């Protein structure tokens, strides 16, 4: 039988304190106090100000940009919790950095998503909670429990609320096809799938669309937007295939690096929908941006983990 812990305590690192506060608010618990500082040479210093001995600790820290800084801070926090005799440590990582390096595409490349799983476990994480991993198989990189949440239902509900009808759900590549199909099924809309490839490092093209988008409004479903290059390649491909210049974009994670805001600020892009798995301050210049709040989802999942209840009931799937 799984161990149970009387008391839950929630902390947030510096990666996304607003999300930490929101999750704590939803759980109706105060956010725990932790001192996070930097030495002059840049090393991170952590000290938990609340006692954690024997407690069920949830540590909220998405590992978005600056990825290495946020990841190291998370590792050091986990180490401090372990040494302070926390009962159980759940690393809540709404966005899991390095997920795109989950296999070797070329000889002599690393598999960094696996390395990150190993160091989280070595640091002392008892379990992790993530959302919409770039590749679901990353769950298997861990030998500790992984709760894999999804924002798909939130995205589908939002599209339904907007009253969007008669559109095509588009997966920009075969990797996203399964997730996009679930969204299309929930929304009762047809699916089109593109073929995406990288002609060179950091360059993206989407070609060979399977499905009909001519004269249709499209909803592109993706796991993440970083530079916006993949999305723009998908938008160009849809327009070439006769789609309406009324393209909606939904991604679980909005990183908005490089010139993403500029790239996405196109008149054909009616809406860019992301979640607050990462802070969205940097994308405030994007007029079409809509941000969905995942804090109720994470709060409910955290509560269920704490109470040893199933979290699969949180998700509809077809
Ligand atoms: C790649 O396969 C991912 O699903 C995303 O499409 C991609 O990583 C997004 O990055 P960017 O916005 O820089 O194209």
């Amino acid at each position: 039988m799984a161990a149970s812990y009387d008391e839950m305590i929630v902390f947030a690192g510096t990666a996304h304190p607003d999300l930490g506060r929101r999750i704590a608010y939803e759980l109706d618990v105060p956010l725990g106090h932790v001192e996070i500082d930097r030495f002059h040479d840049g090393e991170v210093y952590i000290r938990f100000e609340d006692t954690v001995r024997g407690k069920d600790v949830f540590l909220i820290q998405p590992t978005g940009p600056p990825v290495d800084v946020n990841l190291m801070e998370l590792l050091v926090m986990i180490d401090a919790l372990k040494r302070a005799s926390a009962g159980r440590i759940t690393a809540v990582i709404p966005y899991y950095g390095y997920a795109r390096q989950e296999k070797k595409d070329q000889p002599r490349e690393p598999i960094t998503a696996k390395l990150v799983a190993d160091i989280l476990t070595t640091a002392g994480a008892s379990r992790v909670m993530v959302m919409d991993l770039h590749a679901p198989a990353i769950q298997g990189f861990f030998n500790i429990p992984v709760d894999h949440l999804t924002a798909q239902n939130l995205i589908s509900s939002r599209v339904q609320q907007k009253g969007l009808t008669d559109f095509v759900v588009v997966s920009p590549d075969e990797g996203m096809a399964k997730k996009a199909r679930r969204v299309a099924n929930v929304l009762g809309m047809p699916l089109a799938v593109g073929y995406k490839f990288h002609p060179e490092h950091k360059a993206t093209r989407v070609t060979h669309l399977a499905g009909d988008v001519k004269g249709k409004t499209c909803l592109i479903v993706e796991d993440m937007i970083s530079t916006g290059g993949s999305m723009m390649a998908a938008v160009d491909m849809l327009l070439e295939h006769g789609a309406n210049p009324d393209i909606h974009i939904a991604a679980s994670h909005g990183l908005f690096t490089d010139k993403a805001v500029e790239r996405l600020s196109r008149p054909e892009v009616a809406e860019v929908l992301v979640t607050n798995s990462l802070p969205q301050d940097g994308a405030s210049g994007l007029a079409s941006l809509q941000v969905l709040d995942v804090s109720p989802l994470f709060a409910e999942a955290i509560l269920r983990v704490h109470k040893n209840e199933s979290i699969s009931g949180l998700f509809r799937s077809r």
Side-chain angles (χ1 to χ4, degrees):
M1 192 177 141
S4 65
Y5 302 87
D6 291 339
E7 206 178 326
M8 170 207 294
I9 188 160
V10 180
F11 294 98
T14 61
H16 200 353
D18 177 60
L19 183 64
R21 278 191 291 272
R22 285 170 183 263
I23 291 173
Y25 175 81
E26 293 289 335
L27 286 165
D28 200 17
V29 297
L31 199 55
H33 295 98
V34 52
E35 181 187 353
I36 304 174
D37 203 356
R38 294 268 159 195
F39 290 101
H40 291 294
D41 60 2
E43 290 178 359
V44 65
Y45 170 79
I46 302 285
R47 193 180 75 84
F48 285 89
E49 293 169 359
D50 295 300
T51 179
V52 295
R53 188 174 295 272
K55 290 185 184 171
D56 197 10
V57 181
F58 293 86
L59 195 48
I60 296 152
Q61 177 91 330
T63 50
V67 179
D68 296 346
V69 169
N70 289 329
L71 176 61
M72 191 64 196
E73 187 181 294
L74 174 61
L75 293 168
V76 176
M77 284 192 289
I78 293 171
D79 184 75
L81 289 169
K82 178 180 70 180
R83 293 175 195 284
S85 306
R88 178 169 69 173
I89 305 164
T90 301
V92 180
I93 313 173
Y95 169 78
Y96 184 88
Y98 283 112
R100 286 178 292 177
Q101 293 185 49
E102 92 289 13
K103 60 182 179 315
K104 288 174 70 167
D105 281 325
Q106 304 273 348
R108 299 178 295 284
E109 285 183 340
I111 302 182
T112 320
K114 164 71 171 136
L115 174 67
V116 171
D118 287 344
I119 54 181
L120 284 166
T121 310
T122 301
S126 320
R127 54 191 302 133
V128 295
M129 183 179 288
V130 292
M131 185 179 84
D132 288 329
L133 286 167
H134 173 65
I138 292 170
Q139 291 168 82
F141 292 177
F142 289 89
N143 285 327
I144 53 176
V146 178
D147 295 305
H148 189 194
L149 313 187
T150 178
Q152 282 172 8
N153 293 347
L154 279 175
I155 290 169
S156 302
S157 300
R158 161 77 194 181
V159 172
Q160 279 167 334
Q161 278 164 13
K162 277 182 69 81
L164 209 58
T165 53
D166 194 21
F167 60 95
V168 179
V169 176
V170 178
S171 169
D173 57 37
E174 62 281 17
M176 271 302 294
K178 201 169 166 184
K179 287 184 193 165
R181 180 177 54 74
R182 284 198 209 109
V183 173
N185 285 352
V186 168
L187 294 170
M189 293 294 152
L191 175 71
V193 181
Y195 170 68
K196 183 167 85 179
F197 68 102
H198 302 283
E200 56 195 71
H201 187 50
K202 295 187 180 176
T204 306
R205 286 199 58 206
V206 181
T207 58
H208 299 92
L209 185 72
D212 185 15
V213 297
K214 201 170 168 50
K216 299 280 185 189
T217 292
C218 292
L219 169 70
I220 307 175
V221 177
E222 255 287 25
D223 59 333
M224 62 192 286
I225 300 171
S226 181
T227 65
S230 300
M231 277 299 184
M232 286 310 100
V235 167
D236 287 338
M237 181 270 300
L238 291 174
L239 294 172
E240 276 164 28
H241 283 77
N244 290 344
D246 176 30
I247 296 175
H248 299 250
I249 288 173
S252 302
H253 310 291
L255 283 84
F256 300 111
T257 61
D258 190 42
K259 294 184 179 154
V261 170
E262 203 177 300
R263 287 195 182 102
L264 292 159
S265 298
R266 284 173 59 167
E268 303 92 343
V269 177
E271 184 180 44
V272 178
L273 199 57
V274 296
T275 76
N276 61 349
S277 64
L278 291 164
Q280 292 305 331
D281 321 330
S284 54
L286 184 60
S288 57
L289 184 71
Q290 296 287 328
V291 181
L292 297 170
D293 184 9
V294 289
S295 58
L297 173 67
F298 274 92
E300 181 63 29
I302 286 170
L303 195 61
R304 291 185 185 208
V305 167
H306 176 63
K307 290 158 75 178
N308 274 332
E309 290 177 1
S310 164
I311 65 162
S312 61
L314 277 174
F315 309 107
R316 289 182 278 172
S317 66
R318 290 192 195 178

